Amino acid sequence: MASYETLLLERRGRVALLTINRPAKLNALNIQTRAEGAAALDELREDESVRVVVITGAGEKAFVAGADIGEFEGRTAVSQRDVMTARSLFTAVDTFPKPVIAMVNGFCLGGGCELALSCDIRVASDRARFGQPEINLGIIPGGGGTQRLTRLVGEGKAMELILTGDMIDAQQAYSLGLVNAVFPAEELEAKTMEMANRIAEKSPVALRMAKEAVKTAARANLDEGLRREIDLFALTFSSQDKDEGVRAFLEKRKPDFKGV
Ligand code: COA
């Protein structure tokens, strides 16, 4: 298991907990954190004992308060473009072959909100605050915010958040569909782990196909998406997990999925 300077990586049974660990800077994403995040995902992709990943932020205050603004100073357009087109942490999360849950424990702003948007499910503490405040710096979201937020909550609400830079609380985020569930801060970890463990019991093969099929909806037209769904559905029929799932149902017992 590799060690990281800006992340904590912990295995809890079948669930890996990846914590962005720069609490003094509200877990702002600097170049090192992004690179280490992508490297940690590479490690977790290969690790068959890990079936679900949970991403969170260290400390009580923040999930991630955005890109590290200190790194913006003095950067040219070309060097900034290079940073953003190097392997993206957001894309690495989005295309990760296992489910990724954002456990949002506090400020979830800018690149932090974009990181949460790249995850498959977002669960928030009642103290979490969300926003895309880039406009206040004279810039715009650049980690997928204009695209993923718009797809998730619709153009009108995405426009409002991005043009005003205003923060919203967890309940408002829930009513927009930006988060799947809100829990009291002291229950957040237990409730998130409960959900992660429930998902981790499913067939890893089926989880992977399901994630890919759902992600296709944002990228393809309906006919292409429906065709892709059938292909991915059919692929599950090549797995031993499908035989086990069907047999377990008929034998009235709990399935034991192996991921093959
Ligand atoms: N990049 C770099 N440092 C950041 C940061 C960011 N995105 N967000 C917070 N920090 C740092 C602060 O500079 C401060 O560091 P210091 O103690 O060395 O001065 C530390 O984290 C604590 O933040 P602070 O601003 O003192 O906390 P607060 O409770 O007063 O305010 C926020 C919290 C989130 C409202 C405020 O930090 C903020 O607006 N952050 C920037 C959010 C943003 O614009 N993100 C999008 C970036 S593109």
Side-chain angles (χ1 to χ4, degrees), residues 22-29 61-62 64-72 107 109-112 114 131-134 136-137 139-141 167:
R22 299 183 72 216
K25 293 289 176 192
L26 303 189
N27 305 317
L29 298 176
K61 208 167 157 184
V64 168
D68 190 321
I69 299 169
E71 288 185 342
F72 287 169
F107 286 115
L109 303 173
E114 290 170 311
Q132 296 287 167
E134 290 88 346
N136 298 324
L137 301 172
I139 58 175
I140 69 167
M167 279 191 231

Side-chain angles (χ1 to χ4, degrees), residues 129-166:
R129 308 255 281 151
F130 295 79
Q132 296 287 167
E134 290 88 346
I135 204 84
N136 298 324
L137 301 172
I139 58 175
I140 69 167
T146 63
Q147 304 305 302
R148 293 196 180 96
L149 183 63
T150 305
R151 281 171 164 81
L152 193 62
V153 306
E155 186 179 303
K157 284 296 175 186
M159 270 306 183
E160 185 182 339
L161 285 166
I162 291 168
L163 298 186
T164 64
D166 287 347

Side-chain angles (χ1 to χ4, degrees), residues 52-89:
V52 176
V53 176
V54 173
I55 299 182
T56 194
E60 307 244 302
K61 208 167 157 184
F63 173 69
V64 168
D68 190 321
I69 299 169
E71 288 185 342
F72 287 169
E73 221 178 12
R75 216 182 254 165
T76 64
V78 173
S79 63
Q80 181 61 26
R81 190 169 188 270
D82 286 344
V83 168
M84 294 170 85
T85 48
R87 193 172 167 224
S88 156
L89 173 60

Side-chain angles (χ1 to χ4, degrees), residues 3-151:
S3 69
Y4 303 98
E5 280 177 26
T6 63
L7 302 176
L8 301 170
L9 182 53
E10 194 190 325
R11 265 91 163 163
R12 295 191 187 173
R14 292 166 162 177
V15 179
L17 181 63
L18 184 63
T19 305
I20 314 285
N21 189 29
R22 299 183 72 216
K25 293 289 176 192
L26 303 189
N27 305 317
L29 298 176
N30 61 6
I31 291 179
Q32 186 183 6
T33 314
R34 289 167 196 251
E36 289 191 345
L41 289 172
D42 284 341
E43 184 185 336
L44 296 172
R45 181 184 297 108
E46 301 305 322
D47 185 341
E48 285 178 13
S49 70
V50 171
R51 294 192 178 183
V52 176
V53 176
V54 173
I55 299 182
T56 194
E60 307 244 302
K61 208 167 157 184
F63 173 69
V64 168
D68 190 321
I69 299 169
E71 288 185 342
F72 287 169
E73 221 178 12
R75 216 182 254 165
T76 64
V78 173
S79 63
Q80 181 61 26
R81 190 169 188 270
D82 286 344
V83 168
M84 294 170 85
T85 48
R87 193 172 167 224
S88 156
L89 173 60
F90 308 110
T91 305
V93 172
D94 189 17
T95 57
F96 192 68
K98 309 176 191 189
V100 185
I101 301 175
M103 182 166 83
V104 181
N105 52 315
F107 286 115
C108 182
L109 303 173
C113 194
E114 290 170 311
L115 178 61
L117 285 165
S118 305
C119 295
D120 303 313
I121 295 176
R122 286 150 292 281
V123 179
S125 129
D126 55 1
R127 295 191 204 140
R129 308 255 281 151
F130 295 79
Q132 296 287 167
E134 290 88 346
I135 204 84
N136 298 324
L137 301 172
I139 58 175
I140 69 167
T146 63
Q147 304 305 302
R148 293 196 180 96
L149 183 63
T150 305
R151 281 171 164 81

